[in-house]
Amino acid sequence: MTAGLSPDTMVWQDKKRYLWLMGLIVPTLLLAILPIVWAMNQFGWTSASQVLFWIGPILLYVLLPALDLRYGSDGQNPPEEVMEWLENDKYYRYCTYLFIPFQYLSVVVGAYLFTASDLSWLGYDGSLSWPARIGLALSVGALGGVGINTAHEMGHKKDSLERWLSKITLAQTGYGHFYIEHNRGHHVRVATPEDPASSRFGETFWEFLPRSVFGSLRSAWRLEAQRLRRQNKSVWHPSNDVLNAWLMSVVLWGVLIAVFGPALIPFVIIQAVYGFSLLESVNYLEHYGLLRQTNANGRYERCTPEHSWNSDHLVTNLFLYHLQRHSDHHANPTRRYQTLRSMDGAPNLPSGYASLIGLTYFPPLWRRLMDHRVLEHYDGDITRANLQPRLREKILVRYGAVA
């Protein structure tokens, strides 16, 4: 697409315009593999075909990192002159809207495949094996995790339709409170010790995960309770956006369990936990060790590009709607994904999010990769980092910050 703003204005081309449709690969993956599974089963490869039900983890941990390595950095920033036009081009928001019907079609198909006792039409003698079922649940969970990011894009917008679509997208993982906590909690407290979604230097992902999950839940409830009290309403009022978002999850999974039976319950739990754990692994790597300093008045300095880890790898950018341009997102939370830019002054991750999610699970590897980057970001002064409290003295001694 070419935007000619005026005869005297430069012409700019968004080279990624139609590549944004790659964001629909994740919600259609399960549907796409079924013909391949059927074909493999016709050749008698029934054991090998069941590996395809692990397509979600395979995409996240193998294919996307390989593609990021192959295609490298994005490198294209929209110029200031086209920002207003680009922001108002509705094609880009329709790309995110399309995610939702495919998301829920895949959820229903996944629920059916998980519980079906006769899959002869697909070439199996009976039901899926338990390894295949677990892979299926994780693949649907990967869809839910990426769906949280799609909800994140829509939930920041002022349009009421997009805000409701955000909550609908979050219903799959039962993470509807993210809609409240991310916008009104995380963006206010980001890169401070008070933010449950900002990881600390020396904190492992496995320590961070429960802190962020339960801390974000408590914060979302508290924020909504405060808002409703200001309006003289009960915390149990239907306008409580935490409650009505959770209600969507109850209705969704209540209906599916009623249709497919109690055998669906393990599927519900596995996909939800895996889905929101993917969000939390991204939360973990986005602000690891970064800290907004305190001003003379005791308040934290304004959030700037240096308070978010950036990555500009092309392929993961396309799958996650520029989430990796995280510094610009925190500077301009309502800016639409197509206008986000890779900003100077932001610390950069060594690779794309997809390559790093798996590393967050292994604390020694993660710390070997990232601790020296945090130290370099603060010019060797580790006291300026957001330190894990229980390790604070040990870290300070290790890096020579105390006598």
Side-chain angles (χ1 to χ4, degrees):
M1 178 70 177
T2 300
L5 299 175
S6 76
D8 301 321
T9 304
M10 63 175 288
V11 175
W12 179 79
Q13 183 180 25
D14 180 7
K15 297 177 181 178
K16 300 195 293 285
R17 182 176 177 86
Y18 298 109
L19 292 178
W20 289 115
L21 292 172
M22 289 174 64
L24 297 178
I25 290 176
V26 173
T28 58
L29 267 180
L30 181 58
L31 308 175
I33 67 166
L34 292 181
I36 303 173
V37 169
W38 177 86
M40 292 176 71
N41 289 343
Q42 303 315 300
F43 287 98
W45 303 340
T46 54
S47 296
S49 70
Q50 297 196 47
V51 175
L52 287 180
F53 290 106
W54 289 77
I55 188 64
I58 290 170
L59 175 71
L60 288 178
Y61 302 128
V62 180
L63 298 179
L64 282 182
L67 289 169
D68 269 341
L69 184 64
R70 168 64 180 82
Y71 291 101
S73 295
D74 186 329
Q76 187 191 38
N77 274 344
E80 193 63 42
E81 293 85 352
V82 305
M83 293 292 277
E84 183 178 358
W85 164 79
L86 196 59
E87 183 82 13
N88 293 324
D89 187 341
K90 292 187 176 181
Y91 162 80
Y92 293 95
R93 67 190 72 175
Y94 294 153
C95 288
T96 59
Y97 295 174
L98 279 172
F99 187 100
I100 303 172
F102 288 114
Q103 173 190 6
Y104 281 104
L105 177 58
S106 291
V107 167
V108 173
V109 170
Y112 161 71
L113 292 171
F114 191 88
T115 56
S117 58
D118 180 11
L119 290 174
S120 56
W121 64 270
L122 198 53
Y124 293 116
D125 182 16
S127 60
L128 291 177
S129 67
W130 268 104
R133 290 184 188 184
I134 293 171
L136 172 65
L138 292 175
S139 292
V140 173
L143 162 60
V146 176
I148 294 175
N149 176 65
T150 307
H152 164 261
E153 168 63 24
M154 294 184 287
H156 271 293
K157 305 305 175 282
K158 297 179 181 178
D159 183 82
S160 60
L161 170 63
E162 290 183 277
R163 292 187 172 217
W164 275 103
L165 289 177
S166 174
K167 286 193 278 188
I168 290 170
T169 309
L170 291 167
Q172 178 192 337
T173 49
Y175 232 55
H177 58 279
F178 173 82
Y179 168 82
I180 296 298
E181 164 56 19
H182 181 81
N183 292 358
R184 288 157 45 195
H186 174 64
H187 271 265
V188 173
R189 301 180 301 233
V190 62
T192 71
E194 289 76 29
D195 180 31
S198 292
S199 59
R200 300 157 177 171
F201 185 94
E203 181 179 30
T204 71
F205 171 70
W206 304 109
E207 292 175 297
F208 170 80
L209 180 61
R211 183 172 72 85
S212 184
V213 169
F214 294 110
S216 296
L217 192 157
R218 286 192 298 269
S219 176
W221 184 262
R222 185 166 54 247
L223 288 166
E224 266 303 87
Q226 291 170 352
R227 181 183 71 86
L228 291 168
R229 278 197 296 270
R230 288 194 296 269
Q231 298 177 1
N232 294 318
K233 294 179 180 177
S234 165
V235 70
W236 304 106
H237 193 274
S239 63
N240 183 322
D241 281 326
V242 174
L243 286 179
N244 57 50
W246 285 345
L247 181 61
M248 290 183 187
S249 297
V250 171
V251 171
L252 169 67
W253 292 112
V255 169
L256 289 177
I257 291 171
V259 171
F260 295 108
L264 187 65
I265 292 174
F267 174 86
V268 176
I269 295 171
I270 292 169
Q271 67 83 30
V273 172
Y274 183 59
F276 69 67
S277 77
L278 290 174
L279 163 74
E280 297 299 353
S281 65
V282 169
N283 277 339
Y284 178 78
L285 61 86
E286 284 176 334
H287 304 283
Y288 177 75
L290 302 180
L291 179 66
R292 287 155 57 192
Q293 305 304 310
T294 305
N295 293 322
N297 61 8
R299 296 185 177 183
Y300 289 110
E301 64 183 330
R302 178 178 171 273
C303 185
T304 67
E306 69 179 45
H307 298 121
S308 302
W309 289 102
N310 232 47
S311 175
D312 202 29
H313 282 70
L314 175 62
V315 177
T316 305
N317 265 351
L318 293 169
F319 274 77
L320 296 182
Y321 304 116
H322 271 163
L323 179 67
Q324 298 181 129
R325 294 183 170 183
H326 209 60
S327 295
D328 194 6
H329 169 65
H330 271 280
N332 303 282
T334 61
R335 181 173 283 177
R336 293 189 180 274
Y337 69 91
Q338 67 270 20
T339 61
L340 291 173
R341 292 178 285 191
S342 190
M343 302 185 73
D344 293 333
N348 279 287
L349 293 167
S351 189
Y353 284 9
S355 304
L356 299 176
I357 287 174
L359 281 180
T360 65
Y361 305 156
F362 302 97
L365 295 179
W366 173 258
R367 295 198 63 184
R368 184 173 181 178
L369 181 75
M370 288 300 299
D371 281 9
H372 71 92
R373 287 180 165 84
V374 176
L375 193 63
E376 290 163 8
H377 178 60
Y378 288 116
D379 298 321
D381 184 0
I382 197 64
T383 64
R384 295 168 60 196
N386 186 6
L387 303 181
Q388 172 71 326
R390 71 175 181 82
L391 296 176
R392 183 177 182 83
E393 293 303 318
K394 186 176 180 180
I395 292 171
L396 293 177
V397 169
R398 178 179 178 181
Y399 291 100
V402 294

